[in-house]
Amino acid sequence: LQLVLLLALFVITPLAIPFILHPKEGHFLSRLAALVLLLQPLASLLGGIAFILPTGLFAAAFASLWFLFTGLLALISLIRLWQMPRLLDRSLADVCLALTWLYLPVGGAWMVLARWGLQPFGFGVHTDLLTAVHFHFIALAALPITGLTGRIIQTNRTTQHRVFRIAY
């Protein structure tokens, strides 16, 4: 489970971020996007160090740095949702891409709990790690793939047929 979570930190995150960031967004969002691109390698490295250290407060401190980075990504999602004129008027693809990173801090929080050795609600350490993995892959893989697929269906002439839109 730790290796799968490390895969999210070191492979899936750097692959997903460029697909979701839009450098031509508003001035504030473009600055946040630049900050995310700058901090991502450092945040992944510090989050990865948490798995080298023995379970405890020190490992949780390193995992907390990753958690803070996921909070920055969630802030971008919140700003995008706030800037959407009417959520109901947006396409499913736009909503998926706007919601993408809201799940990440949940995964980051469970990663901190797992590295600290805490087991809230009586769950075992495996459940903590499974929950962290789940929320990382929902946010970094499932929602971006769904959103980007919807964009392709909307913009590609061969996939604009009603059958593709209904299946989507």
Side-chain angles (χ1 to χ4, degrees):
L1 289 174
Q2 291 178 359
L3 289 176
V4 174
L5 201 50
L6 288 172
L7 176 73
L9 269 65
F10 288 104
V11 177
I12 305 298
T13 301
L15 289 174
I17 286 177
F19 283 110
I20 308 304
L21 287 179
H22 302 290
K24 295 183 180 182
E25 289 184 301
H27 181 70
F28 183 68
L29 274 178
S30 65
R31 288 195 179 262
L32 276 179
L35 182 63
V36 162
L37 291 173
L38 180 70
L39 292 177
Q40 184 275 316
L42 179 64
S44 293
L45 179 65
L46 294 173
I49 289 173
F51 290 98
I52 296 171
L53 299 170
T55 302
L57 187 59
F58 200 54
F62 275 93
S64 295
L65 296 171
W66 172 257
F67 172 69
L68 291 174
F69 177 72
T70 63
L72 179 62
L73 291 173
L75 177 64
I76 291 173
S77 283
L78 286 173
I79 291 170
R80 281 188 180 155
L81 284 171
W82 181 263
Q83 291 178 345
M84 282 187 170
R86 282 182 39 124
L87 198 58
L88 296 176
D89 293 338
R90 305 303 294 187
S91 70
L92 178 61
D94 291 338
V95 172
C96 281
L97 292 173
L99 292 172
T100 295
W101 291 328
L102 283 181
Y103 289 103
L104 267 178
V106 177
W110 280 97
M111 183 174 132
V112 170
L113 291 173
R115 295 311 304 142
W116 201 344
L118 298 178
Q119 297 171 359
F121 311 116
F123 296 139
V125 69
H126 295 298
T127 305
D128 293 352
L129 285 173
L130 278 171
T131 306
V133 167
H134 167 77
F135 280 101
H136 277 84
F137 277 90
I138 284 292
L140 294 170
L143 284 171
I145 288 171
T146 304
L148 294 171
T149 301
R151 274 198 184 158
I152 294 297
I153 288 172
Q154 291 169 356
T155 58
N156 192 327
R157 282 184 38 205
T158 57
T159 59
Q160 283 182 341
H161 191 271
R162 186 170 183 213
V163 173
F164 293 106
R165 289 195 317 257
I166 289 172
Y168 176 70

